[in-house]
């Protein structure tokens, strides 16, 4: 698996993956919204404001995990979305995503 910071072209795939996990109460993200279209729109809006960061994990060209969220640098705070990954590789995937995501945040984010 390879990790990288997400770019706007990734938002539709990220939104689809999050929407899938939101179907189950145990894996639902209360910050993300409902349905892939609403989630993708939120990601685009946060991106336009410069207030979103996501790490994605890919294996053989497929999206296998995401971790990110919106943030407010002036407040020094981020609201986390995820991590989202399959149970079979959850720990390995989410640890790698965590490193990538936190490295991509502005230094002002402390909470």
């Amino acid at each position: 698996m390879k990790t990288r910071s997400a770019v706007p072209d990734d938002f539709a795939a990220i939104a689809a993956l999050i929407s899938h996990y939101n179907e189950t109460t145990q894996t639902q993200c209360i910050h993300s919204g409902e349905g892939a279209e609403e989630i993708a729109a939120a990601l685009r809006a946060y991106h336009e404001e410069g207030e979103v960061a996501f790490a994605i994990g890919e294996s053989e060209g497929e999206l296998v995990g995401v971790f990110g969220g919106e943030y407010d640098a002036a407040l020094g705070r981020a609201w986390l979305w995820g991590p989202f990954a399959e149970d079979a590789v959850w720990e390995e995937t989410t640890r790698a995503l965590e490193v990538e995501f936190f490295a991509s945040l502005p230094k002002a984010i402390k909470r």
Side-chain angles (χ1 to χ4, degrees), residues 14-94:
I14 291 170
L17 187 70
I18 292 173
S19 178
H20 166 74
Y21 283 100
N22 280 353
E23 292 174 4
T24 305
T25 304
Q26 293 87 346
T27 58
Q28 183 179 34
C29 176
I30 62 172
H31 299 295
S32 65
E34 294 184 27
E37 289 182 22
E38 184 177 321
I39 295 167
L43 292 172
R44 288 189 298 273
Y46 286 125
H47 175 72
E48 289 174 13
E49 297 296 322
E51 297 179 339
V52 70
F54 266 84
I56 63 172
E58 298 172 306
S59 181
E60 299 179 14
E62 296 292 321
L63 185 64
V64 296
V66 300
F67 183 39
E70 80 257 22
Y71 60 83
D72 185 321
L75 293 176
R77 182 172 180 165
W79 292 267
L80 303 179
W81 296 19
F84 301 97
E86 292 184 29
D87 288 343
V89 293
W90 196 87
E91 280 193 45
E92 172 189 339
T93 302
T94 58

